[in-house]
Amino acid sequence: MKTCRLCKHPNPDGNNYCEKCNLSFENVAVRKRYYNEKDDPLTKIKNEELELRQKTTNGSKIFDFFCGVLGILIIFGIPIGGYIYLNQDVNTYNKAVEFWNKGEIKESVEVAEKIPEGSRQYKKAQKLIKNAEDHLLYNKAIALWNEGNYEEAVKIFESFTEESEYYKQAQSVLVEFVNSN
């Protein structure tokens, strides 16, 4: 009886291969198994499983990368987008002030009128519009005054209320007019 060195199965003396595991008795040093490593069906299955796992792992790495990029865009995009949205009216108001500072009063009013009523900048825009109207009205009164049309100029100067930035100037012109008459 021959005992298989691999599986320890007893085999008849005339066998060249183990009945149980097909191990060759003749060339034990060179070949321990019936199948070599490349032809072994279990090795093929294991290799296919490894390739599938590796493909899945690579796919999940790519998916994870894009999810990470998307997450970063969401984390930073929402606050930045919100900031831009909320500050849109601030930029509009600043543009109106810029026109005002250049002396382009009508353009300043046109830009300020674009700010919606619900905006945090709405009150400031309305104040700018009122100041622009008072400015234009004051300049009209001064032009009438310089032309010698004092009565119409006085009516305009008297229309300024205490809330107006031109109220004090209008009052000083009225005082000057009263003192000169």
Side-chain angles (χ1 to χ4, degrees), residues 104-150:
E104 299 172 1
I105 307 303
K106 290 181 182 177
E107 291 82 358
S108 175
V109 170
E110 288 173 6
V111 171
E113 287 175 341
K114 292 179 183 177
I115 296 175
E117 190 171 338
S119 171
R120 295 182 300 176
Q121 302 300 314
Y122 181 74
K123 287 183 181 179
K124 289 167 57 173
Q126 292 304 307
K127 185 176 179 182
L128 185 136
I129 292 168
K130 176 69 173 135
N131 287 342
E133 291 169 351
D134 288 351
H135 177 78
L136 295 172
L137 196 58
Y138 181 80
N139 285 345
K140 181 179 178 182
I142 293 293
L144 289 169
W145 185 272
N146 291 336
E147 292 171 2
N149 195 346
Y150 301 115

Side-chain angles (χ1 to χ4, degrees), residues 6 55 64 66 87 92 99 109 143 148:
L6 182 65
K55 287 178 183 177
D64 291 345
F66 283 113
N87 286 319
T92 304
F99 279 125
V109 170

Side-chain angles (χ1 to χ4, degrees), residues 23-168:
L23 177 70
S24 172
F25 292 121
E26 293 174 8
N27 198 356
V28 174
V30 175
R31 189 170 175 170
K32 291 187 176 182
R33 295 178 55 187
Y34 176 74
Y35 295 107
N36 65 23
E37 190 74 25
K38 290 181 182 176
D39 296 333
D40 186 6
L42 292 176
T43 304
K44 286 182 181 179
I45 292 171
K46 287 178 186 175
N47 288 340
E48 289 172 2
E49 286 178 6
L50 286 173
E51 286 177 19
L52 180 63
R53 257 191 229 135
Q54 191 172 21
K55 287 178 183 177
T56 305
T57 304
N58 289 342
S60 67
K61 286 179 183 177
I62 293 170
F63 179 76
D64 291 345
F65 172 76
F66 283 113
C67 285
V69 169
L70 181 63
I72 290 170
L73 289 174
I74 289 171
I75 288 170
F76 290 110
I78 290 173
I80 291 171
Y83 175 79
I84 291 170
Y85 176 75
L86 292 175
N87 286 319
Q88 181 177 358
D89 295 335
V90 172
N91 294 337
T92 304
Y93 176 76
N94 289 341
K95 188 169 186 149
V97 170
E98 186 179 314
F99 279 125
W100 178 274
N101 292 336
K102 289 180 185 177
E104 299 172 1
I105 307 303
K106 290 181 182 177
E107 291 82 358
S108 175
V109 170
E110 288 173 6
V111 171
E113 287 175 341
K114 292 179 183 177
I115 296 175
E117 190 171 338
S119 171
R120 295 182 300 176
Q121 302 300 314
Y122 181 74
K123 287 183 181 179
K124 289 167 57 173
Q126 292 304 307
K127 185 176 179 182
L128 185 136
I129 292 168
K130 176 69 173 135
N131 287 342
E133 291 169 351
D134 288 351
H135 177 78
L136 295 172
L137 196 58
Y138 181 80
N139 285 345
K140 181 179 178 182
I142 293 293
L144 289 169
W145 185 272
N146 291 336
E147 292 171 2
N149 195 346
Y150 301 115
E151 290 176 16
E152 286 186 46
V154 167
K155 286 180 184 176
I156 293 173
F157 286 132
E158 289 175 339
S159 70
F160 287 101
T161 62
E162 289 184 26
E163 293 84 32
S164 174
E165 291 185 15
Y166 293 93
Y167 177 75
K168 289 182 182 178

